[in-house]
Amino acid sequence: MQSIFDWLSSVLALLLCAAVIDMLITDSPMRKYVRLTAGLVIMAALIKPLFSPDWSPVFEQDQDLNAFQAVTDQHIDQLSDLSELDSATYMDPQLQSDATAVASAFPACEVMDVQSEAAADQLTHVRILARGQCPESSIQQTLSEKWNIEPHQVNMVMEKEEKGGG
């Protein structure tokens, strides 16, 4: 915007100078040549931006567009890197929370860890590591309904309790 203001200021200054020179010159044979020269200078000032690539508003828009495109490409690359991450990284804490909530109905049952496998954002297999006395089939059935998967896709692994001896 500043460049447009500068351009308009220079054109107006040239017009003012041409008007002053035209008033100063009396009716002489040189007057028509001075007017011709002033007209050419003013026309050159008017069309100068069309031939100046560093001033052109279109060029500035191209630069802005290129900068925007570069930032957008960078964001797309970052998002594609994130999409390549294992979805289990984000699902496992939620699945563990769900499994812990279901297991809390059984006081002697404790969920230690939950690991999942997913394909196309769909759960394909869930492995639950638990300790204590857990009714596996009841927990598997409840969680399979909650997660909308088949009960055989929920695998409960019971950790052995170590019993100390004297």
Side-chain angles (χ1 to χ4, degrees), residues 9 18 29 35 37 45 55 61 73 96 107 133 149 153 159-160:
S9 298
R35 281 187 171 180
T37 306
W55 182 88
Q61 289 175 354
D73 290 344
Q96 182 157 0
Q133 296 176 356
I149 59 175
Q153 293 174 301
E159 186 178 86
K160 290 185 179 181

Side-chain angles (χ1 to χ4, degrees), residues 95 97-106 123 126 128 135-152 154 156:
L95 296 176
S97 174
D98 292 345
T100 302
V102 170
S104 67
F106 308 100
L123 280 176
V126 180
I128 302 171
E136 295 178 33
S137 61
S138 175
I139 292 174
Q140 284 176 325
Q141 185 64 33
T142 304
L143 290 175
S144 67
E145 289 172 7
K146 182 172 185 69
W147 295 332
N148 198 24
I149 59 175
E150 296 295 322
H152 65 84
V154 179
M156 297 258 324

Side-chain angles (χ1 to χ4, degrees), residues 3-23:
S3 57
I4 293 173
F5 180 74
D6 292 341
W7 171 72
L8 264 171
S9 298
S10 65
V11 169
L12 289 175
L14 283 174
L15 284 171
L16 184 62
C17 289
V20 169
I21 291 173
D22 190 42
M23 285 192 269

